[in-house]
Amino acid sequence: MNIMDFNMKKLAADAGTFLSRAVQFTEEKLGQAEKTELDAHLENLLCKAECTKLWTEKVMKQTEVLLQPNPNARMEEFVYEKLDRKAPSRVNNPELLGQHMIDAGNEFGPGTAYGNALIKCGETEKRIGGADRELIQTAAINFLTPLRNFIEGDYKTITRERKLLQNKRLDLDAAKTRLKKAKVAEARAAVWAEEVTKSEQEVRIAQSEFDRQAEITRLLLEGISSTHAHHLRCLNDFVEAQMTYYAQCYQYMLDLQKQLGSFPSTFLANNNQSTTTCIPSSSNTTAAASSASVTASLSSLSNVAATTSFGELKTSSGSRKARVLYDYDAANSTELSLLADEVITVYSIPGMDSDWLMGERGNQKGKVPITYLELLN
């Protein structure tokens, strides 16, 4: 037998198997043939896998929307990913706003109150943009990638094995149908007993292959529980990345608010140098009142960050150990730089700002922001 003859026979066998499955499937849909049902445990596992796949896709897509709201940018990143090419670096919205503010401040003059304030705001916006970029990168690696790997890897394997199980079931039911017809024909003396024996052997083989495939599929589906456990760890990483991002943004804006707190007096000094006297109108008075209200609101928000434990520490003369939550670079010589997860000694001194404590590490000491600390028992 040459290769061509072998291939032709194989194609003919495959065509016969496909036709037998198609006939069996059609008759089942029409209610003209019996169908072997899967056991309840396997059916529950299949439902759990489908549910996991459905909600993993929804969570993954909505997370992508959260991290990158621009649909055109998401599409561009998707195309680059499929082409296995690195997407070009793109300036995000906070960074772009920050650069515009800095350019405007330089144009108005860094020596003026408004120009200086714009520059400081612009620098803060650019720092927020950097934190936003870091959040996107961390979330993509620690959260989105594992979810995508499940959809494109494990679930595709489950789908393939499930389809193979469906084919084995159709083969089994088709063999059972042929055996039933053979027994009816034997009773009418229309076929020899050998035909019934052959059909019985086909049923035994088909049953064995079906049982084996059902076991393979069951083992794969039982792995969904470990997938949930893995995705839970990834979810914790995502929450931690968001917590770090929002804490950084809060601290950046808190520092900016403190810097801008000295600007009203500077603004008045600049106005005194002007030859034109400005008469405040009612609208300006309203705007000033509104600004004062916003400033008061921001101050109240900053006070929320001080927990009861910090409040007790500030009112006492003792000291406590504290764990550093995030890295912090000292802005000047009066502050103490921090490294995440290190333990330092903190205490309060009279007249210190409510958002700061004194920190000590060996012979080094300086002011540290309380939002970067967690008091230890």
Side-chain angles (χ1 to χ4, degrees):
M1 180 186 298
N2 57 34
I3 295 178
M4 183 173 294
D5 292 339
F6 175 80
N7 288 338
M8 290 298 293
K9 288 186 177 182
K10 186 174 184 304
L11 287 173
D14 291 343
T17 301
F18 177 80
L19 180 60
S20 174
R21 291 171 180 169
V23 170
Q24 179 66 28
F25 182 80
T26 303
E27 290 181 348
E28 287 175 359
K29 290 296 182 182
L30 296 175
Q32 298 174 355
E34 296 181 1
K35 173 183 175 181
T36 300
E37 299 293 341
L38 302 177
D39 65 80
H41 178 59
L42 188 56
E43 286 285 4
N44 289 335
L45 290 175
L46 287 170
C47 291
K48 184 177 180 180
E50 288 180 356
C51 182
T52 301
K53 183 253 186 183
L54 172 66
W55 286 108
T56 299
E57 284 182 331
K58 289 186 176 182
V59 170
M60 184 176 68
K61 289 179 180 178
Q62 198 57 42
T63 303
E64 291 172 345
V65 172
L66 172 68
L67 298 176
Q68 177 51 269
N70 188 336
N72 293 330
R74 291 200 306 273
M75 180 58 67
E76 181 182 358
E77 291 171 358
F78 175 78
V79 172
Y80 274 101
E81 181 181 350
K82 291 302 179 183
L83 295 176
D84 198 18
R85 295 174 58 187
K86 184 178 180 180
S89 180
R90 183 186 298 104
V91 178
N92 57 35
N93 290 331
E95 290 174 329
L96 185 60
L97 172 61
Q99 190 58 53
H100 286 339
M101 285 182 168
I102 292 173
D103 293 342
N106 288 325
E107 183 72 21
F108 297 149
T112 66
Y114 184 41
N116 195 358
L118 278 171
I119 292 174
K120 290 185 179 298
C121 288
E123 291 171 348
T124 300
E125 291 294 341
K126 293 186 77 171
R127 294 176 73 185
I128 290 176
D132 183 66
R133 192 181 299 278
E134 185 177 347
L135 170 64
I136 292 174
Q137 182 179 5
T138 304
I141 295 173
N142 296 339
F143 187 59
L144 288 177
T145 298
L147 266 59
R148 188 175 292 108
N149 288 343
F150 166 72
I151 297 297
E152 298 179 356
D154 294 350
Y155 192 78
K156 280 190 175 180
T157 302
I158 290 174
T159 301
R160 183 173 62 250
E161 296 299 330
R162 181 181 182 180
K163 183 177 180 181
L164 188 56
L165 176 63
Q166 171 75 352
N167 290 337
K168 295 298 183 183
R169 185 195 64 74
L170 289 172
D171 291 343
L172 172 61
D173 288 340
K176 288 180 178 179
T177 300
R178 287 193 297 271
L179 175 60
K180 184 181 294 185
K181 291 179 179 178
K183 286 183 176 181
V184 171
E186 181 187 36
R188 297 175 180 174
V191 295
W192 298 99
E194 289 80 359
E195 188 69 26
V196 176
T197 303
K198 179 182 177 182
S199 297
E200 289 175 343
Q201 184 178 4
E202 287 179 354
V203 170
R204 284 194 296 271
I205 294 174
Q207 183 70 56
S208 175
E209 292 181 352
F210 171 76
D211 292 341
R212 177 177 176 275
Q213 186 58 39
E215 181 65 15
I216 293 173
T217 307
R218 182 186 62 79
L219 291 175
L220 281 172
L221 291 170
E222 287 178 346
I224 291 293
S225 295
S226 359
T227 297
H228 284 189
H230 176 53
H231 287 181
L232 174 59
R233 292 192 295 271
C234 296
L235 181 61
N236 286 331
D237 291 340
F238 178 52
V239 170
E240 184 174 349
Q242 284 187 301
M243 182 188 70
T244 301
Y245 167 72
Y246 290 120
Q248 286 176 328
C249 292
Y250 172 78
Q251 187 61 48
Y252 293 157
M253 298 308 295
L254 191 63
D255 294 341
L256 176 62
Q257 182 196 4
K258 292 177 180 178
Q259 294 177 44
L260 296 182
S262 61
F263 274 52
S265 59
T266 307
F267 176 70
L268 291 176
N270 289 341
N271 279 355
N272 289 336
Q273 296 173 3
S274 175
T275 57
T276 304
T277 302
C278 296
I279 301 176
S281 63
S282 59
S283 60
N284 289 338
T285 304
T286 304
S290 176
S291 175
S293 174
V294 171
T295 302
S297 299
L298 289 173
S299 298
S300 63
L301 284 175
S302 64
N303 291 334
V304 173
T307 61
T308 304
S309 298
F310 282 113
E312 293 174 353
L313 178 61
K314 281 187 168 294
T315 56
S316 67
S317 58
S319 62
R320 292 277 296 274
K321 293 291 185 182
R323 184 174 71 89
V324 178
L325 299 176
Y326 326 104
D327 293 347
Y328 177 75
D329 295 328
N332 52 54
S333 58
T334 66
E335 298 180 6
L336 180 66
S337 294
L338 304 174
L339 294 175
D341 293 327
E342 71 171 325
V343 177
I344 63 173
T345 301
V346 293
Y347 57 91
S348 179
I349 58 177
M352 175 168 280
D353 190 287
S354 62
D355 296 314
W356 295 79
L357 288 170
M358 289 298 295
E360 284 189 3
R361 182 202 304 113
N363 295 327
Q364 299 176 325
K365 65 179 181 178
K367 294 193 303 180
V368 293
I370 65 173
T371 53
Y372 281 63
L373 303 174
E374 177 187 21
L375 290 180
L376 301 177
N377 295 327

